[in-house]
Amino acid sequence: LMVRLVFPLETFTKSGAGIALVRPDFASSDREFIYFALAVFAIFAILIVNLRRSTTGLALNAVRWSENASRTMGVSVIQMKMLVSGLAAFVAGVGGGLFALAKNQAVPSEYAILFGLVWLAVLVTFGVRSNIAALLAGVVFVLSPAILTGKLHLNNKWALVPTLLFGLGAIALAKNPEGTVHQAAMGLQKMLHKRTGGRTTATPPPPAPAPDVDPDADRLAEVSS
């Protein structure tokens, strides 16, 4: 609806030039803006972690696993869905604002649905439930074409290699739905386990249960004495 009816308006397109934006004074240069964007990402990451551990986060997780069980426990499924949709839209809006500030202009054509699907596919490939995976997905997606064409001095055809790698990573999701970051972490853990020879720290045995004491037998012993 937005792409077909709202974005094509002259108010937003400005004859293809888009809306010019000015970065804040404390983030005017590219280096300062990168630090500013990372600070915003860190704030949202902390908020998301705290939300997951809160009562609202537990309710959202319950709705995610079973809506019927959530209703049985008294959780409003519609309210939780509206809440998470609003939070997701807010985070996406802040990200879109940072994306526009990075280029000093907001061009409606750069907010096409297909571009968003590509970004979503990259995020899911790395791991949609991890803040670290989201950070790595953004950094790799932006820097990998520049490294291939700029640092390695390869032609522009090699810039399509990251897209192919993301496609292979999406296929790997069939084996590990948690993403490539989680898969790499599990592989590293197995390698360390093999390097240590499978040795694990011995845990002390649980204490023996106390013998059952019959109170009547105690009273009988007191009377006998």
Side-chain angles (χ1 to χ4, degrees), residues 18-218:
I19 301 176
L21 300 175
V22 180
R23 296 177 184 176
D25 295 335
F26 59 85
S28 57
S29 65
D30 291 339
R31 182 183 297 272
E32 293 174 348
F33 183 78
I34 290 175
Y35 291 148
F36 171 66
L38 290 176
V40 174
F41 179 86
I43 292 174
F44 274 102
I46 294 173
L47 292 177
I48 291 174
V49 171
N50 290 333
L51 176 63
R52 289 175 178 174
R53 298 176 179 177
S54 64
T55 304
T56 304
L58 296 177
L60 290 172
N61 194 34
V63 172
R64 173 176 171 267
W65 286 106
S66 176
E67 295 184 4
N68 295 330
S70 301
R71 294 189 183 97
T72 304
M73 295 185 297
V75 177
S76 176
V77 176
I78 297 178
Q79 183 179 0
M80 291 296 103
K81 288 185 177 182
M82 293 295 295
L83 175 62
V84 73
S85 299
L87 292 175
F90 175 70
V91 175
V94 174
L98 293 176
F99 178 73
L101 285 176
K103 297 188 175 183
N104 292 322
Q105 62 179 359
V107 182
S109 60
E110 294 182 351
Y111 293 90
I113 295 177
L114 293 179
F115 289 162
L117 293 178
V118 172
W119 296 340
L120 179 62
V122 174
L123 173 60
V124 173
T125 300
F126 276 82
V128 73
R129 300 181 189 175
S130 171
N131 292 325
I132 300 299
L135 179 61
L136 291 177
V139 171
V140 173
F141 182 74
V142 173
L143 295 183
S144 55
I147 293 175
L148 290 175
T149 57
K151 298 296 183 181
L152 301 180
H153 302 288
L154 300 176
N155 54 29
N156 293 330
K157 294 182 179 180
W158 288 92
L160 299 177
V161 172
T163 305
L164 298 176
L165 294 178
F166 291 139
L168 294 177
I171 296 176
L173 287 177
K175 295 183 178 180
N176 189 355
E178 295 296 331
T180 55
V181 173
H182 180 267
Q183 186 176 3
M186 295 300 296
L188 180 61
Q189 184 178 1
K190 291 181 180 179
M191 183 181 66
L192 294 176
H193 184 72
K194 293 181 179 179
R195 290 288 298 272
T196 56
R199 296 188 300 270
T200 57
T201 305
T203 56
D212 296 333
V213 179
D214 189 1
D216 295 333
D218 289 341

